[in-house]
Amino acid sequence: MSEQKPRLKRPVENVRAELLADPDTQRIAKSLDMELEAYVELVLDYAQNPDKEPTLIVAPDEELRAAGYTPPTTQDVANFFIAAANGELGIGPPKSYYSGFEGKQDDANKPSLRGDEGQEPVKVDEETSQKLRQHVPKGGPDRV
């Protein structure tokens, strides 16, 4: 038995008007660099056809160049995946995850929890340090 996915239960025109007026929809479309109307139509298409799968289009490099795109080289793609695996891309959550009310992360005015600001580092006398280490008990099964 295949499970039926829910379809739209309200008129498409009403849903379209709500989506066009919704600030979240506008923010998502902007974060995806899509025109609002095109994004809303895409959402409605998937809402009306819940069994529809997203498409992935693969094009030869020649077609991409003819369309004005510069395709990445194999080495560029490899470097991208290596950088992603190393966490070097600086990619965070999409802009649509933010409401705009998040506070700024400013560490300049926060107090330090270390308590050693402005203090000179302690000078270590190696000879005294060695003498003190001689008195430190060594670990082992007969030590308590």
Side-chain angles (χ1 to χ4, degrees), residues 94-111:
K95 292 177 188 174
S96 60
Y97 283 20
Y98 298 105
S99 66
F101 293 101
E102 292 79 17
K104 294 189 178 204
Q105 299 293 330
D106 185 16
D107 294 336
N109 296 328
K110 292 183 180 178

Side-chain angles (χ1 to χ4, degrees), residues 16-88:
R16 180 180 289 114
E18 289 175 17
L19 288 172
L20 287 169
D22 182 41
D24 286 333
T25 304
Q26 295 169 8
R27 187 168 33 93
I28 293 168
K30 185 176 180 181
S31 72
L32 295 172
D33 292 328
M34 289 183 73
E35 293 293 327
L36 177 62
E37 293 77 14
Y39 176 71
V40 167
E41 291 307 315
L42 183 65
V43 169
L44 288 173
D45 184 39
Y46 282 104
Q48 292 171 328
N49 305 295
D51 294 323
K52 183 176 182 179
E53 293 290 327
T55 57
L56 173 67
I57 300 172
V58 179
D61 289 353
E62 298 78 34
E63 288 181 24
L64 292 174
R65 285 188 190 97
Y69 296 102
T70 304
T73 65
T74 312
Q75 188 61 44
D76 291 339
V77 174
N79 291 338
F80 174 80
F81 283 116
I82 290 169
N86 292 335
E88 299 168 352

